[in-house]
Amino acid sequence: MKEFNSFSRRDFVAGASGLLMTGALQGVAGQAAESAPSAEGKPAPKSPLAIHGGEKVVSKGAPSLGRRWGDPERQQLEEMLQQDTLFYWGGPKTQLVKERFREVCPLKYVHTCSSGTAALHIAVAAAGVGPGDEVITSSITDPGTVIGILYQQGVPVFAELGRSTYNLDPEDVKRRITPKTKAIIAVHLAGNPCDLDALRKIADEHKLVLIEDCAQAWGAKSRGRPIGTVGHIACFSLQNSKHITCGDGGVVASSDERFGPELQRFGDKGYDRARGLGLTVFATNYRMSEPQAAVVAAQLTRLEKIAARRAQLGNLLTEKIAHIPGILPHQVHPEDRCVYWFYMFRIEPKAFRCSRGEFYKALAAEGVSCASGYIGKPLYGEPVFQNHGFFAGRWPIKEFGLTTMDYTKHHNPEVEAILATSIRVTIHEGMTEEYILAAAKAIEKVARYYAA
Ligand SMILES: *Cc1c(COP(=O)(O)O)cnc(C)c1O
């Protein structure tokens, strides 16, 4: 192997000094020298990489997303300005949001709130998670998934994820259940539905609450069922980067009579406005006001088109790159609808003579909008977890002996491998099939060039 490498590198330097020169002019001589082309006997690739000065596959680059709001939002905002109140309770726009939300996700109790993080915190509080209770979830996600757990003095327990689904591995979830486990938060990463039937079965068997983090999954479907309807409580984000948005906002919903009626007061300081129970619980103020609701009401009318388009484009990319040796496409169950908040494929390190970093930079140079992985490290690797410093540097439940959790000793090997070998490709509804086909060609070009 060593000999082979040194031979091919010499061969490359001798045969392709012109290429090297081009690379040097672009400041990538190091990369060019590292990326010797094919083995003895195989002809050097005819089409040199754009990062080495060759022609780009996607000459025009990725299409832009364009404006995501306009007349429908303007009309809702105009109407809202005619109202006597901008408060959510009894607000016409909040009411409209609830109605339109139920068309997407038919749940009985729907509560609007200020963010996805708020929705998840409300869900965890309504589920009754208390000091020392454990909640099994994913570590490749937004911090908002776990903030509510920690603020209710619960303990996030991070489980392994599927190799190419990047979603909770039900078998590993099962292994991590203890007498302290109270809930599971299933994150539908990138809009790819988790294995909800398996997770719901585990939750029912162990009397756990299944919370769905649908922040990235607006419009997704699990075996034909709207996302959010299989678990006990569903949480959505309306933050600016999500499929639909009002800048910042969220929705939490449930049809379960144990949790549904609790959602409103856990998002509204503890005030129970429907039943008038008085302050029997405490909560923070996570309310969404009417101006935001007006925008959300309009945005919800755009959702189906956005979700359908992203699903189509992401699936097309999989179809076109699935055959490439060493490439592991984003794995979606054939009967599910993934709405691709992003697309993420993995590279098998042994299949290539380049690092993941070199791969995605070469791909970006071809004109594909892409980046390395999703987040830099799993949540448990972040300093706040490594220091157990959630509350101004301290973690009261650990100090009081209510948990022995030590995140410095926690590792999920597959999670870490996912983050080290994945490449995230931008997918959005402003893209065309033509662009996706070109992006697939670019992935193939880079993969063939660097093939081991
Ligand atoms: C965005 C996001 C959140 C948090 O939502 P915010 O509205 O930003 O608070 C939670 N979970 C996931 C998976 C997200 O992508």
Side-chain angles (χ1 to χ4, degrees):
M1 195 62 197
K2 271 210 172 76
E3 231 169 287
F4 160 82
N5 271 342
S6 62
F7 173 79
S8 57
R9 189 160 293 135
R10 267 201 319 272
D11 184 43
F12 172 61
V13 171
S17 53
L19 256 184
L20 261 179
M21 284 302 291
T22 320
L25 285 172
Q26 300 196 341
V28 290
Q31 272 159 339
E34 276 311 305
S35 48
S38 54
E40 184 184 11
K42 276 197 228 165
K46 275 186 201 126
S47 165
L49 298 182
I51 200 166
H52 300 153
E55 205 179 312
K56 280 184 175 189
V57 175
V58 192
S59 51
K60 284 179 284 184
S64 65
L65 179 53
R67 278 276 287 283
R68 300 159 68 200
W69 32 80
D71 287 339
E73 287 75 14
R74 193 173 292 116
Q75 191 198 327
Q76 290 296 334
L77 285 164
E78 282 288 347
E79 284 179 25
M80 180 269 301
L81 290 174
Q82 310 300 316
Q83 294 173 193
D84 297 332
T85 174
L86 301 183
F87 191 57
Y88 90 101
W89 188 251
K93 294 308 168 198
T94 300
Q95 204 48 45
L96 185 57
V97 167
K98 290 184 188 185
E99 281 163 28
R100 290 186 177 172
F101 175 86
R102 286 194 187 97
E103 289 167 18
V104 176
C105 180
L107 294 172
K108 183 172 172 188
Y109 299 94
V110 181
H111 180 69
T112 53
C113 57
S114 55
S115 68
T117 305
L120 284 149
H121 189 175
I122 292 166
V124 165
V129 171
D133 288 344
E134 296 176 355
V135 180
I136 301 173
T137 191
S138 169
S139 57
I140 302 186
T141 183
D142 183 277
T145 303
V146 298
I147 286 170
I149 304 170
L150 289 156
Y151 272 75
Q152 290 309 110
Q153 309 309 323
V155 181
V157 173
F158 295 111
E160 267 296 7
L161 304 180
R163 181 176 182 234
S164 299
T165 61
Y166 322 123
N167 283 334
L168 283 179
D169 169 3
E171 287 307 310
D172 195 57
V173 168
K174 231 187 268 180
R175 283 192 286 273
R176 290 176 196 274
I177 293 172
T178 74
K180 288 179 161 186
T181 309
K182 189 92 184 186
I184 299 167
I185 300 183
V187 179
H188 306 299
L189 196 77
N192 187 23
C194 291
D195 185 347
L196 283 168
D197 291 312
L199 293 172
R200 178 66 199 235
K201 187 157 171 273
I202 294 168
D204 288 345
E205 274 169 17
H206 297 268
K207 297 196 162 46
L208 309 177
V209 184
L210 178 60
I211 298 168
E212 292 186 52
D213 181 343
C214 312
Q216 302 180 4
W218 281 102
K221 289 194 171 112
S222 162
R223 316 295 195 271
R225 299 160 298 191
I227 207 75
T229 56
V230 178
H232 297 98
I233 311 176
C235 303
F236 291 81
S237 167
L238 292 157
Q239 190 269 336
N240 197 63
S241 66
K242 305 300 156 75
H243 294 75
I244 55 170
T245 184
C246 58
D248 261 314
V251 180
V252 57
S254 175
S255 288
D256 193 302
E257 294 297 334
R258 292 168 298 169
F259 314 119
E262 302 300 318
L263 301 176
Q264 179 272 321
R265 60 175 173 169
F266 279 110
D268 190 356
K269 300 185 192 172
Y271 289 125
D272 191 314
R273 296 183 190 271
R275 296 173 297 185
L277 298 181
L279 276 179
T280 58
V281 301
F282 235 29
T284 183
N285 177 353
Y286 280 147
R287 296 183 301 232
M288 174 195 280
S289 67
E290 284 282 282
Q292 291 158 288
V295 175
V296 177
Q299 288 270 299
L300 277 163
T301 65
R302 300 178 186 267
L303 175 59
E304 178 49 32
K305 246 185 158 167
I306 294 169
R309 185 78 180 136
R310 288 187 182 226
Q312 180 204 2
L313 294 175
N315 291 341
L316 179 63
L317 186 55
T318 290
E319 193 190 308
K320 297 298 172 188
I321 65 172
H323 68 282
I324 305 172
I327 299 288
L328 304 169
H330 205 141
Q331 187 191 335
V332 175
H333 190 282
E335 292 165 58
D336 286 352
R337 182 208 241 181
C338 172
V339 288
Y340 298 98
W341 190 56
F342 55 78
Y343 186 103
M344 197 155 83
F345 68 86
R346 286 179 71 174
I347 62 169
E348 278 183 290
K350 282 193 197 124
F352 299 105
R353 292 168 299 105
C354 68
S355 68
R356 185 266 306 263
E358 287 171 301
F359 196 110
Y360 88 77
K361 281 176 195 150
L363 188 56
E366 298 295 337
V368 176
S369 172
C370 65
S372 65
Y374 167 44
I375 50 177
K377 36 179 118 161
L379 284 184
Y380 59 76
E382 292 291 346
V384 70
F385 279 93
Q386 292 295 303
N387 302 329
H388 303 107
F390 308 111
F391 298 92
R394 300 177 64 176
W395 196 16
I397 56 165
K398 195 165 162 75
E399 291 177 22
F400 285 99
L402 289 170
T403 182
T404 54
M405 176 58 80
D406 183 348
Y407 292 110
T408 66
K409 296 196 166 63
H410 186 85
H411 284 288
N412 297 133
E414 192 66 54
V415 163
E416 291 168 26
I418 289 167
L419 290 179
T421 60
S422 54
I423 293 174
R424 172 168 44 108
V425 179
T426 310
I427 297 276
H428 61 63
E429 58 276 15
M431 287 174 168
T432 57
E433 283 182 32
E434 186 192 6
Y435 168 74
I436 296 294
L437 294 176
K441 277 210 182 95
I443 292 169
E444 183 154 19
K445 176 184 172 188
V446 173
R448 293 218 184 281
Y449 183 81
Y450 285 124

